[in-house]
Amino acid sequence: MSVLLRIGNWKAFLAAGHWTSASARLERSLNDATREWIQQTGGPSIHERNQEKAVALEMARRFDGAILNQLRPASRASERSFWAQRQMQLDFTAAPLTFAEKPAGGRPKKLRGAAKNGAAGKAAGR
């Protein structure tokens, strides 16, 4: 355990970058809110000495909770977890991009090869 947080009558602890609680709903809400916060803002500073404490402070503010206990994490697992959550998420299942055609007018296309010399017109019987 790194940080123990009380929200209402429930408690949750943050360890190795993930929230755990007896309330599955609270646990899911905290993990989702943490992930969204990190994706939107970058989360706690990379140079923050105790990133879990910074995350817990933000979640306590958002959920109107209080930090009951905190310890400096012994491992670097939480920093690795937050680092991974900061990475951009790309959706490769989305439909491909489509582009509108160029508007009429503008510069004419350059002719190449036979069309440039009129050979294409002669072959077509013009």
Side-chain angles (χ1 to χ4, degrees):
M1 174 192 70
S2 179
V3 180
L4 180 63
L5 181 67
R6 181 183 48 79
I7 297 174
N9 293 330
W10 294 98
K11 293 181 179 79
F13 63 91
L14 178 62
H18 297 284
W19 290 98
T20 305
S21 176
S23 168
R25 186 173 141 202
L26 176 62
E27 181 177 323
R28 190 176 329 103
S29 296
L30 285 168
N31 282 316
D32 290 346
T34 300
R35 189 176 316 102
E36 288 172 11
W37 175 61
I38 290 172
Q39 289 291 315
Q40 291 172 356
T41 66
S45 169
I46 293 174
H47 303 294
E48 180 75 39
R49 292 185 58 99
N50 190 343
Q51 292 190 6
E52 287 187 345
K53 179 182 174 188
V55 169
L57 284 170
E58 177 63 23
M59 293 304 115
R61 185 187 67 76
R62 288 181 177 214
F63 286 85
D64 195 29
I67 294 177
L68 301 178
N69 197 0
Q70 62 187 13
L71 300 171
R72 175 109 169 99
S75 72
R76 309 288 265 173
S78 65
E79 291 178 18
R80 285 191 298 271
S81 172
F82 294 133
W83 182 261
Q85 290 182 44
R86 284 183 180 100
Q87 303 305 306
M88 183 184 295
Q89 302 293 318
L90 301 175
D91 182 14
F92 292 105
T93 61
L97 295 175
T98 57
F99 298 96
E101 293 189 28
K102 291 183 180 179
R107 265 179 104 171
K109 291 184 178 180
K110 291 185 179 180
L111 300 176
R112 300 196 183 268
K116 184 177 181 180
N117 298 329
K122 292 177 188 170
R126 294 186 195 160

